């Protein structure tokens, strides 16, 4: 089992580092990255004129996912009884509504604006928020897999669900990951890719080796309707990770990461290819034509959970924005996991 502080911290901080590393090159083609940063592409956090490497909406929404999970279990503990398991996505939906307020919008459906994150002034900044997330949340309606809010399969669903994998058991992680993403993304590849990431992280936290966890996640994915697009690309990522294909070429065969199935496939490829070297994996994950911050974030989530925070270069941990807050959230998730394990075994739907 990896129910230890360093793995929980590694997952959230690792995701933020990947996000911050990839953001400066997110909209650049690989050749443009090389022209700007040199032959090997971007190799370090770009602080610009700031003291920290800024995160994007990927990490912002990841933090609000964590807050939603913690709020749900706190409410349940206070009531001393089980709420319906289906209410958990609703609590996460309201957490995303609080994120929406930080972006300068208010749908008017929140009765109160409380919580840890809403009071962090630096979170009240737009960091390239995704149009799909904004539009879906501004509607005031909560999308579900059964009643999708749109037909989007953008990566905005998968890039934020890592806390689900940390907090939920393997038995519930896939479903809750899907439900969390379906709030804003209605295409199967938009929410099934999120289920894969949540399940993969849950498998890692429960002690599986990385390749075993990836295989188990693929098997779980194939049980769900509409999996074909996502599972096919994931199988390709696994195959490419085992051969001698040059990484940049391999990534080009997996897409650019703008949609859910491409993001998770690229992250799985990078994680498997350099499973024992966080930095090497992250550099591969951001130096390509596509959505570098999201592919970096998800790769960081996976290998951070697998290797732990000590595997992340110390200067990166020190320089990434919100490191202390992410560590606090990670520790709270671990405490919540431990304190409620008996309770969650009794009520496995959570």
């Amino acid at each position: 089992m990896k129910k230890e502080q360093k793995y929980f911290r590694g997952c959230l901080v690792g995701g933020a580092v990947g996000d911050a590393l990839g953001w400066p090159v997110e909209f650049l083609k690989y050749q443009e990255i090389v022209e700007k940063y040199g032959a090997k592409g971007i190799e370090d956090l770009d602080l610009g004129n700031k003291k920290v490497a800024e995160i994007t909406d990927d990490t912002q929404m990841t933090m609000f996912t964590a807050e939603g999970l913690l709020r749900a279990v706190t409410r349940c503990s206070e009531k001393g009884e089980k709420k319906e398991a289906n209410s958990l996505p609703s609590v996460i939906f309201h957490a995303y509504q609080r994120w929406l307020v930080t972006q300068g919008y208010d749908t008017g459906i929140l009765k109160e604006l409380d919580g840890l994150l809403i009071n962090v002034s630096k979170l009240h900044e737009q960091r390239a928020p995704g149009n799909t997330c904004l539009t879906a949340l501004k509607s005031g309606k909560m999308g579900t897999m059964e009643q999708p809010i749109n037909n989007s399969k953008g990566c905005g669903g998968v890039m934020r669900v890592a806390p689900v994998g940390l907090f939920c058991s393997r038995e519930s992680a896939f479903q809750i990951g899907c439900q969390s993403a379906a709030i804003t993304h209605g295409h199967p590849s938009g929410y099934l890719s999120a289920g894969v990431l949540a399940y993969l992280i849950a498998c890692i936290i429960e002690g599986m080796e990385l390749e075993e966890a990836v295989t188990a996640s693929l098997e779980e994915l194939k049980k769900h309707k509409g999996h074909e697009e996502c599972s096919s690309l994931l199988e390709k990522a696994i195959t490419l990770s085992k051969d001698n294909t040059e990484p940049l070429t391999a990534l080009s065969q997996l897409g650019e990461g703008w949609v859910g199935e491409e993001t998770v496939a690229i992250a799985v490829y990078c994680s498997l290819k350099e499973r024992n070297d966080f930095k090497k994996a992250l550099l591969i994950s951001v130096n390509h034509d596509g959505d570098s911050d999201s592919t970096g974030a998800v790769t960081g989530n996976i290998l951070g959970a697998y290797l732990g925070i000590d595997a992340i270069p110390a200067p990166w941990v020190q320089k990434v924005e919100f490191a202390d807050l992410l560590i606090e959230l990670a520790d709270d998730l671990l405490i919540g996991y431990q304190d409620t394990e008996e309770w969650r075994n009794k009520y496995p739907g959570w």
Side-chain angles (χ1 to χ4, degrees), residues 18-19 22 58 155 159 251 255-259 262-268 270-271 281-282 284-288 290-301:
D19 181 21
D58 295 39
C155 68
M159 54 77 166
L251 294 191
E256 296 185 353
W258 300 109
V259 292
E262 293 179 0
T263 294
V264 78
I266 289 172
V268 165
C270 295
S271 298
L282 227 59
I284 294 173
S285 75
V286 301
N287 282 294
H288 58 87
D291 192 357
S292 298
D293 65 325
S294 295
T295 54
V298 177
T299 303
N301 289 145

Side-chain angles (χ1 to χ4, degrees), residues 97-115:
Q97 287 291 325
R98 290 191 292 279
W99 169 78
L100 185 66
V101 171
T102 69
Q103 302 304 290
Y105 304 96
D106 186 359
T107 60
I109 69 171
L110 294 175
K111 295 180 181 179
E112 53 188 21
L113 289 174
D114 61 346

